[in-house]
Amino acid sequence: MENTNVKKEEVAGRSLIDKVFSWSFSDVCNKDLYKNQVQRIPETFLSMTDYMKSFMDPLIEEAHADLFSNMTAVHQAPVCKIHSVEESKKFKLPKDLFYEVKFNAAEDTEKDIGTYEPEVGDLIALTDFRPKSIDDLDRPTRFYVIAYVYGTKAESSEKLQILASKCIRRKRETFHTNKRETLLAVYLMNMTTIVRMWRAVNLDLEGGNRNILNKVVQNNAADEENCTTCFSEGKCSPSNSVICDIISSYYLNNSQEAAVLSCVGLRHCYHQNTVKLIRGPPGTGKTKTVGLLLFVLLKIKCRTLTCAPTNSAVLEVTALLLSLVRESLEYDTYGLGDIILFGNSERLRIDGRDDLCDVFLDYHVNVLRKYFASSSGWKDCFEVVIRFLENSKLHTNNIYFEERKKKNVEFEDELKQEESTSNPVKEDDGTMTFEEFAKKKFSLIHESLKCCMTDLCTHLPTSLLPLEVVKDMVRALKLLKSLQTLLCSLSTVANEGLEHVLNDFEDIGSSVGCSSKLSITVKECLDVLRSLSHRFSVPNLTEHYAIQKFCLANACLVFCTASSSAKLHTEGMTPLEFLVIDEAAQLKECESAIPLQLSGLRHAILIGDERQLPAMVQSKISTNAEFGRSLFERLVMLGHQKHLLDVQYRMHPSISFFPNKEFYNSQISDAPNVIERGYEKRFLQGKMYGSYSFISIDHGKEEFEGHSPKNMVEAAVVSEIVANLYEEFLVTKKKVSVGVISPYKTQVYAIREKVKRYSEYSDSGFSVSVRSVDGFQGGEEDVIIISTVRSNYSGSIGFLSNLKRANVALTRARYCLWILGNGTTLLKSDSVWKKLVLDARERQCFYNAEEDQKLALAIAAALVELGKLDILLNKDSLLFREARWKVVFSDDFKEYIQSIRNSEICKEVLNVLQKLSSGWRQPQEERDPVVHDGPSSQLLEMSKVSEQLNLVWNVDCLKEDSNYIQILKVWGVVPLSDIPKLAKRLDVLFGRYRVDEMNRCKHRCVEGSFVVPKRWPVDSSTCSEPDTVVSLSKDLSSLSISHEPETSTAIYRNHFKSNMKNKSEDVEFKQRWLDD
């Protein structure tokens, strides 16, 4: 929308640009450059000057931190080739180093160059090389100049106007294709929003309206919110029946209705400037309330600007408003011209939003420009139709015979071509008859006028297109449609008959029958069209920028980001009355100062929730200075009155209970829809997977990549739960959306990698979204899984302890919220998460992940991948807590299992071990015997793990106190082809067993369907009945995994050979096992 052909000599935000240019390379890299200069932004201020000054140093520091962050990633920065550099007319040493540079992205096809197209606001480095690291910019032999793109030439988007930090090779102004002379533009950062904030805090915006700013600077922000004058006159409570009817038809709750009416009541208040706050906790229908408020403001023609911090937030509120508007439109799309959405089309991704195209500014302009043109516009469409109806026979005949003449010339040319070639020309030239031509001509002009009227009704503001004119347009189109139908009904009339009808168009009333009806319709249609031509005209505008200003000046509702509202600070802009800021608690206060200074603005309505995430800030120094604090939050801190939306419609009551108690003092009630029985949904079986649960993972391990931790055990559990949800979905076919939230980006990437296979099923009714807490703000899913990551003995949880992050994470789920974390770590943290764990225990929603067999196996497999076999294979391991059999592992087995790269195979190995330790045995008929002649064949057993691998084990006896007790010995996971070799190696060990030892090993004691270990007194010489076996309360169920391993048979074979070195080691086997 912005006219980038800069006419002023001064570059907007020049003082900030000069400050950036003054930084040396070491200054940029110095993180503490402004540490002692940046002061905390206070809650109250002495004056407007004091208020604005408090933001300046934090803003400079934020620009500094942003530049440093981007320069550290300069090797990934987009680059384009500069073809020419010329000094501008404004060039003047020593500081006004203005240049015009030309680039052509279409020609930059070299792999190492890219297709970057610099934009206004970009800070770029002009270099003769492509930097591979930030240090490349600090080499004395390298050339580079920092420059700021402040405009484009009107005649060419490929010609940029830049301000440079120092002179650019003045002796050679053009850089050719010779590599030695190549000049590149390397993207560093975009300063548009920072510059706009800088101008706002310097009161450098053209609107110059300080009325509302004065209100928010004053210390008495907690004054009564309603104007006493309006209150006494009864203007604060709108009595307009239209407003009341609208509000009552959308079934708002009491708090929503009160918020809307309170804001609408400001329309007629000119006595004071008001800032209203509407607080919308998660799930309380904030967006619906905003949408309905805007809908009412549209109906009462209150000129309003609606802003939000991000493009996505702007699109959401615009889409909601449009859905309400489209439902109420009486004449198709008439009225959409009163609504304008503007911004960068690529960043808004407007091409993929068909529902928003009709209100997008550039689309408005492109359509209107066509009809504002004198040659092909509204006037031309009208004149063609009127001419046809007024003088139809003569007009149609002339055109018809001109077309015939043209056809004849073309036919003669074809005949001449036939004489020179062997291809005959068909005698049928395809020429239409007169009546066919007349009907087609009428159909075309009718369709053209219909498109014109429809487009004007859609894109013109209603202030320039009254409803009475629209009604006449609709009437004219209906009459033209009737004419077309009547003409088509004359298909059997001879050519002379149609001419007679066309004569009737001119001599109305001379005919009877069908043609008489035509004549009457023609007369009526001409009357309507002539009336329209006198009563309605379109503006005489042709330039794109002029039509943009026209649309914005006459719109009733305008939507954009707070930053983009700077484009409305132009001379002659029609004043705005209201400013509505959605997600106001996510907007930096100095950024909200951009729209607050717009001309004519009387009242501001801020909607948000200061207890959710604030604006993102790059610099830690600026963060500590409260640079990210919003105006909304500061006013709340000062005690400013606010409307609380107090009914939540999203979360099952068991989910909303804790955040409501912890963050909102139990002020939020649950709506009837979430209380009813049908809202309690189960997506997995088991108490652990109810509506709300904390699932403790005690064996998690946090690892750091830079400053961001990850926990692969938690990631494995998340993956297992998602897999189980998908398996259940395949059975039930019930749609389910799953969201996975983690506060740490490294964990987000790790989980995404594990569950990426499920992303392809989003169209089938099963979807998975993995995002950070910031990425999920404003979102919601059926099931939310939170991975808290932190797992340590000290209770250190870093920024996980942030209350606002916790609030957002805990309020995204509709039906089920499952929180994963190390309960012990969180209890030691002395944070909100400690309260959450205690609350879960009190409400009996606390579970250990190992209680679920599938999760236990997933944890075990993750521990194997992490090399934590000491945790996994000891007697207190989560695998064997409920085992009947003691399990002993060889060193070779530990190496075998760690070499398995397929997690599913690894889980199946652990599953088989669990089953064996519980007393499960494979049925005799399904067993594969060890084919071997030695003693090993009497003891060794095989359990199939996959098509290629088998678990090799045997029952042995161990002396324990005064008893011998049967145990399981596990030797390895090997391919079938390697088992004979293993058996042969073990012959040496088993060959030394006495007969009574062999008998004890082979003895089988059965209890029900399980085999249990037997024990004998040490002095027993016979195999007597076993002692009482202590069985645990729970039997482990079986799990079948069918995936093939990724490692080859050869890997296992070579690994086996490398570990079985010589026979002398075999002699030591038995003693080593007994010692264990």
Side-chain angles (χ1 to χ4, degrees):
M1 189 227 98
E2 208 167 27
N3 185 3
T4 55
N5 183 18
V6 180
K7 297 178 181 179
K8 294 186 175 183
E9 284 193 23
E10 285 297 319
V11 175
R14 176 66 186 272
S15 57
L16 178 63
I17 303 302
D18 286 343
K19 174 70 71 174
V20 173
F21 284 172
S22 72
W23 296 332
S24 65
F25 179 83
S26 59
D27 287 339
V28 173
C29 295
N30 181 5
K31 292 183 179 181
D32 296 328
L33 183 65
Y34 290 98
K35 184 176 181 179
N36 297 323
Q37 202 167 317
V38 175
Q39 302 297 316
R40 185 182 179 278
I41 300 170
E43 286 80 36
T44 59
F45 307 91
L46 299 175
S47 64
M48 179 67 71
T49 302
D50 182 41
Y51 175 70
M52 291 303 186
K53 188 177 180 181
S54 69
F55 296 104
M56 291 183 182
D57 287 336
L59 183 55
I60 293 171
E61 162 57 20
E62 181 66 5
H64 172 259
D66 202 7
L67 177 58
F68 174 70
S69 175
N70 282 287
M71 285 180 67
T72 56
V74 73
H75 62 287
Q76 298 175 330
V79 177
C80 75
K81 186 186 292 184
I82 299 297
H83 290 274
S84 66
V85 179
E86 297 175 357
E87 291 179 359
S88 168
K89 293 179 180 178
K90 296 183 288 185
F91 182 94
K92 184 179 180 181
L93 291 171
K95 286 190 174 183
D96 292 338
L97 307 179
F98 292 101
Y99 293 90
E100 292 179 2
V101 300
K102 186 177 181 182
F103 74 98
N104 189 341
E107 292 181 6
D108 296 331
T109 56
E110 300 174 36
K111 290 183 180 180
D112 61 335
I113 299 298
T115 56
Y116 164 55
E117 297 185 25
E119 299 178 357
V120 173
D122 282 357
L123 191 71
I124 58 177
L126 298 176
T127 73
D128 57 2
F129 67 100
R130 178 156 193 170
K132 302 299 182 184
S133 70
I134 186 174
D135 294 331
D136 284 348
L137 299 176
D138 193 35
R139 303 189 193 282
T141 57
R142 296 292 198 180
F143 164 82
Y144 87 97
V145 173
I146 300 295
Y148 176 71
V149 181
Y150 70 89
T152 60
K153 295 294 285 184
E155 67 274 10
S156 173
S157 61
E158 295 177 350
K159 207 162 189 178
L160 304 172
Q161 295 174 309
I162 67 169
L163 174 64
S165 58
K166 57 184 179 182
C167 289
I168 306 173
R169 292 185 177 180
R170 298 186 63 201
K171 293 182 180 180
R172 185 177 293 276
E173 295 180 343
T174 302
F175 297 83
H176 305 288
T177 55
N178 186 308
K179 191 172 182 180
R180 221 170 25 144
E181 298 175 337
T182 296
L183 186 66
L184 305 177
V186 182
Y187 173 84
L188 295 180
M189 64 182 290
N190 186 277
M191 296 188 64
T192 300
T193 297
I194 290 176
V195 166
R196 288 168 177 169
M197 288 190 286
W198 180 259
R199 294 183 65 199
V201 300
N202 280 278
L203 300 175
D204 189 31
L205 297 170
E206 292 180 14
N209 180 3
R210 302 186 190 178
N211 294 333
I212 295 181
L213 282 180
N214 285 328
K215 181 77 175 178
V216 301
V217 168
Q218 293 169 4
N219 294 339
N220 56 346
D223 280 351
E224 55 190 288
E225 64 168 357
N226 289 323
C227 171
T228 53
T229 304
C230 289
F231 190 79
S232 63
E233 295 175 2
K235 293 181 180 179
C236 287
S237 300
S239 57
N240 189 315
S241 61
V242 175
I243 296 174
C244 295
D245 290 344
I246 291 172
I247 292 175
S248 62
S249 64
Y250 285 94
Y251 305 105
L252 299 182
N253 63 47
N254 291 338
S255 63
Q256 292 170 330
E257 184 175 326
V260 172
L261 290 175
S262 174
C263 296
V264 175
L266 296 173
R267 172 71 192 283
H268 300 293
C269 177
Y270 295 87
H271 311 96
Q272 71 176 31
N273 302 107
T274 307
V275 179
K276 279 197 179 285
L277 306 183
I278 300 176
R279 185 207 256 178
T284 55
K286 173 183 67 66
T287 305
K288 177 183 178 180
T289 306
V290 176
L292 199 60
L293 169 62
L294 295 174
F295 184 56
V296 173
L297 293 174
L298 176 66
K299 288 295 184 182
I300 63 176
K301 302 297 182 185
C302 179
R303 188 161 153 78
T304 303
L305 170 66
T306 303
C307 291
T310 63
N311 285 318
S312 58
V314 171
L315 291 175
E316 183 181 5
V317 70
T318 308
L320 179 62
L321 180 277
L322 268 182
S323 67
L324 296 174
V325 170
R326 290 185 191 278
E327 290 174 1
S328 68
L329 291 177
E330 184 178 356
Y331 292 96
D332 197 19
T333 54
Y334 172 64
L336 295 185
D338 286 337
I339 305 167
I340 296 288
L341 165 68
F342 77 86
N344 185 297
S345 60
E346 291 183 5
R347 296 193 186 102
L348 286 169
R349 298 178 182 174
I350 203 69
D351 290 340
R353 297 295 301 268
D354 293 338
D355 57 326
L356 298 178
C357 281
D358 282 341
V359 298
F360 187 58
L361 177 59
D362 289 349
Y363 191 65
H364 277 308
V365 172
N366 292 336
V367 172
L368 292 177
R369 192 176 188 181
K370 178 171 63 174
Y371 297 114
F372 287 0
S374 58
S375 60
S376 61
W378 160 256
K379 186 177 180 182
D380 184 65
C381 287
F382 251 62
E383 288 178 352
V384 169
V385 178
I386 292 173
R387 271 203 314 270
F388 184 91
L389 297 178
E390 285 180 338
N391 193 17
S392 51
K393 179 182 176 183
L394 178 61
H395 179 71
T396 308
N397 268 326
N398 288 341
I399 298 176
Y400 175 70
F401 286 117
E402 286 177 9
E403 289 289 325
R404 284 297 303 267
K405 184 178 179 181
K406 182 180 178 183
K407 275 282 186 182
N408 289 336
V409 171
E410 291 175 356
F411 188 69
E412 289 174 5
D413 291 340
E414 289 180 7
L415 286 174
K416 291 178 182 179
Q417 185 178 359
E418 179 193 8
E419 293 175 0
S420 60
T421 64
S422 57
N423 298 323
V425 177
K426 295 180 181 179
E427 292 186 7
D428 182 13
D429 61 3
T431 304
M432 291 184 288
T433 64
F434 175 74
E435 64 180 39
E436 289 172 339
F437 178 80
K439 291 174 184 177
K440 182 177 180 181
K441 181 64 180 175
F442 183 80
S443 178
L444 287 173
I445 62 174
H446 169 221
E447 192 61 33
S448 176
L449 185 61
K450 180 182 177 182
C451 289
C452 178
M453 287 181 170
T454 302
D455 284 342
L456 289 175
C457 285
T458 302
H459 298 285
L460 269 181
T462 56
S463 58
L464 277 83
L465 186 62
L467 182 59
E468 292 73 19
V469 172
V470 174
K471 290 179 178 179
D472 281 350
M473 286 181 173
V474 173
R475 186 181 171 205
L477 290 176
K478 287 182 178 178
L479 290 168
L480 287 169
K481 180 66 177 176
S482 298
L483 282 175
Q484 187 175 19
T485 303
L486 288 170
L487 280 175
C488 291
S489 69
L490 296 174
S491 58
T492 57
V493 178
N495 192 51
E496 294 78 7
L498 183 60
E499 290 190 23
H500 176 69
V501 171
L502 292 175
N503 282 329
D504 288 346
F505 279 19
E506 301 169 37
D507 188 16
I508 297 170
S510 64
S511 304
V512 293
C514 183
S515 58
S516 176
K517 188 174 182 180
L518 264 173
S519 301
I520 294 171
T521 307
V522 169
K523 182 180 183 304
E524 189 177 354
C525 188
L526 278 171
D527 289 343
V528 174
L529 291 174
R530 286 167 183 155
S531 172
L532 277 173
S533 66
H534 292 303
R535 292 167 54 208
F536 173 70
S537 60
V538 296
N540 185 24
L541 300 172
T542 56
E543 291 185 3
H544 190 90
Y545 183 65
I547 299 175
Q548 281 183 337
K549 288 190 69 175
F550 162 81
C551 290
L552 286 168
N554 290 281
C556 182
L557 297 184
V558 180
F559 294 83
C560 65
T561 61
S563 172
S564 295
S565 68
K567 298 177 181 180
L568 299 176
H569 286 276
T570 56
E571 294 179 5
M573 175 58 66
T574 306
L576 290 149
E577 298 179 69
F578 274 39
L579 169 66
V580 174
I581 302 181
D582 192 20
E583 303 293 357
Q586 294 181 55
L587 190 67
K588 302 179 187 74
E589 181 163 3
C590 63
E591 191 169 356
S592 65
I594 301 171
L596 283 171
Q597 296 181 53
L598 284 165
S599 174
L601 207 62
R602 294 188 287 117
H603 305 293
I605 302 164
L606 311 184
I607 303 108
D609 182 10
E610 82 285 359
R611 295 185 182 177
Q612 296 187 62
L613 290 179
M616 292 289 291
V617 178
Q618 183 76 41
S619 165
K620 289 186 177 180
I621 295 173
S622 295
T623 299
N624 294 335
E626 300 290 355
F627 180 65
R629 187 179 62 200
S630 65
L631 172 61
F632 188 102
E633 182 174 3
R634 186 175 67 82
L635 292 179
V636 169
M637 292 170 67
L638 293 175
H640 198 289
Q641 292 186 8
K642 56 187 178 294
H643 290 275
L644 174 67
L645 305 182
D646 58 11
V647 182
Q648 74 87 15
Y649 299 84
R650 175 188 299 162
M651 295 165 276
H652 186 277
S654 63
I655 300 172
S656 65
F657 177 82
F658 180 79
N660 183 21
K661 178 183 70 172
E662 186 64 28
F663 306 119
Y664 300 102
N665 301 317
S666 299
Q667 293 178 286
I668 314 299
S669 60
D670 296 314
N673 70 300
V674 300
I675 296 174
E676 63 186 22
R677 192 176 187 86
Y679 211 77
E680 187 163 347
K681 297 187 178 182
R682 288 296 182 106
F683 298 97
L684 289 175
Q685 297 302 312
K687 292 183 179 180
M688 186 182 294
Y689 302 111
S691 297
Y692 178 81
S693 61
F694 181 91
I695 303 173
S696 186
I697 303 172
D698 297 332
H699 295 294
K701 181 179 183 295
E702 63 180 42
E703 308 168 81
F704 281 84
E705 290 187 8
H707 298 290
S708 181
K710 66 178 179 179
N711 187 324
M712 295 308 295
V713 176
E714 273 188 26
V717 173
V718 170
S719 178
E720 184 65 30
I721 294 175
V722 171
N724 296 337
L725 285 168
Y726 181 66
E727 288 176 10
E728 190 70 16
F729 162 74
L730 292 178
V731 174
T732 63
K733 300 300 180 184
K734 292 181 180 178
K735 291 185 177 181
V736 57
S737 60
V738 183
V740 182
I741 303 177
S742 180
Y744 302 102
K745 63 180 181 181
T746 308
Q747 183 76 348
V748 169
Y749 298 149
I751 295 173
R752 277 180 184 165
E753 188 64 26
K754 283 188 171 289
V755 302
K756 64 182 179 183
R757 68 189 125 169
Y758 301 105
S759 60
E760 63 191 62
Y761 304 118
S762 57
D763 294 335
S764 66
F766 183 87
S767 63
V768 181
S769 175
V770 186
R771 285 179 271 169
S772 65
V773 179
D774 302 76
F776 248 111
Q777 174 131 317
E780 58 184 77
E781 303 291 356
D782 295 336
V783 177
I784 289 290
I785 305 167
I786 300 176
S787 173
T788 57
V789 179
R790 305 311 296 266
S791 182
N792 54 65
Y793 296 110
S794 63
S796 173
I797 63 170
F799 83 148
L800 178 65
S801 61
N802 184 284
L803 290 175
K804 295 179 179 181
R805 291 184 180 280
N807 186 19
V808 172
L810 295 170
T811 54
R812 301 303 100 196
R814 297 188 192 100
Y815 309 116
C816 294
L817 173 63
W818 304 327
I819 306 159
L820 311 183
N822 186 318
T824 304
T825 298
L826 297 180
L827 282 171
K828 290 180 179 179
S829 67
D830 197 26
S831 69
V832 67
W833 294 97
K834 175 182 178 179
K835 295 179 182 179
L836 183 141
V837 172
L838 292 173
D839 172 77
R841 284 182 171 174
E842 184 180 338
R843 293 162 59 192
Q844 298 182 345
C845 300
F846 183 98
Y847 303 92
N848 287 307
E850 294 91 341
E851 295 172 20
D852 182 287
Q853 185 194 6
K854 291 184 177 181
L855 296 191
L857 288 173
I859 292 170
L863 290 172
V864 170
E865 290 181 17
L866 293 169
K868 294 296 180 181
L869 287 174
D870 52 333
I871 297 175
L872 191 61
L873 301 182
N874 65 54
K875 64 180 181 179
D876 297 322
S877 164
L878 59 94
L879 284 175
F880 307 119
R881 284 176 185 167
E882 300 179 2
R884 290 182 170 89
W885 289 78
K886 181 175 181 179
V887 185
V888 182
F889 300 93
S890 71
D891 291 337
D892 300 295
F893 171 79
K894 296 177 182 179
E895 294 181 20
Y896 277 127
I897 196 168
Q898 282 188 306
S899 69
I900 298 175
R901 294 291 175 261
N902 187 310
S903 61
E904 297 301 325
I905 295 294
C906 187
K907 282 193 280 188
E908 180 60 12
V909 171
L910 299 171
N911 177 49
V912 171
L913 282 171
Q914 266 194 330
K915 292 197 290 183
L916 290 172
S917 67
S918 71
W920 168 88
R921 296 295 182 266
Q922 197 170 4
Q924 188 68 38
E925 61 273 12
E926 296 179 13
R927 293 188 194 180
D928 291 326
V930 176
V931 181
H932 184 64
D933 295 331
S936 298
S937 62
Q938 299 181 55
L939 297 180
L940 280 186
E941 299 271 4
M942 292 190 309
S943 295
K944 191 174 183 179
V945 173
S946 71
E947 291 299 322
Q948 297 180 27
L949 299 176
N950 292 270
L951 183 72
V952 181
W953 57 279
N954 74 282
V955 174
D956 212 323
C957 285
L958 190 65
K959 185 178 179 181
E960 193 175 78
D961 297 328
S962 59
N963 292 295
Y964 289 116
I965 185 170
Q966 286 181 320
I967 63 166
L968 294 182
K969 284 186 181 180
V970 183
W971 296 99
V973 185
V974 296
L976 190 62
S977 59
D978 283 351
I979 289 176
K981 297 178 183 179
L982 174 59
K984 187 176 180 180
R985 301 286 297 170
L986 293 174
D987 281 344
V988 177
L989 173 65
F990 295 140
R992 288 170 171 74
Y993 279 28
R994 300 189 309 270
V995 174
D996 61 326
E997 289 177 324
M998 283 291 240
N999 287 338
R1000 289 193 186 101
C1001 294
K1002 294 189 315 186
H1003 189 85
R1004 188 179 178 92
C1005 185
V1006 178
E1007 279 191 359
S1009 58
F1010 295 97
V1011 177
V1012 296
K1014 179 172 177 170
R1015 63 179 67 203
W1016 299 266
V1018 170
D1019 58 354
S1020 174
S1021 58
T1022 60
C1023 293
S1024 58
E1025 291 297 317
D1027 297 339
T1028 302
V1029 178
V1030 180
S1031 298
L1032 299 175
S1033 61
K1034 226 176 185 183
D1035 295 330
L1036 294 170
S1037 61
S1038 61
L1039 174 68
S1040 177
I1041 304 292
S1042 59
H1043 294 281
E1044 293 298 318
E1046 294 174 354
T1047 50
S1048 67
T1049 300
I1051 293 175
Y1052 287 98
R1053 185 179 293 114
N1054 294 334
H1055 186 70
F1056 172 79
K1057 290 177 180 178
S1058 68
N1059 284 285
M1060 298 294 188
K1061 294 180 180 178
N1062 53 61
K1063 291 186 177 180
S1064 63
E1065 295 174 345
D1066 298 334
V1067 179
E1068 300 174 3
F1069 273 179
K1070 183 177 180 182
Q1071 188 61 46
R1072 186 166 70 237
W1073 284 107
L1074 294 176
D1075 290 343
D1076 288 342

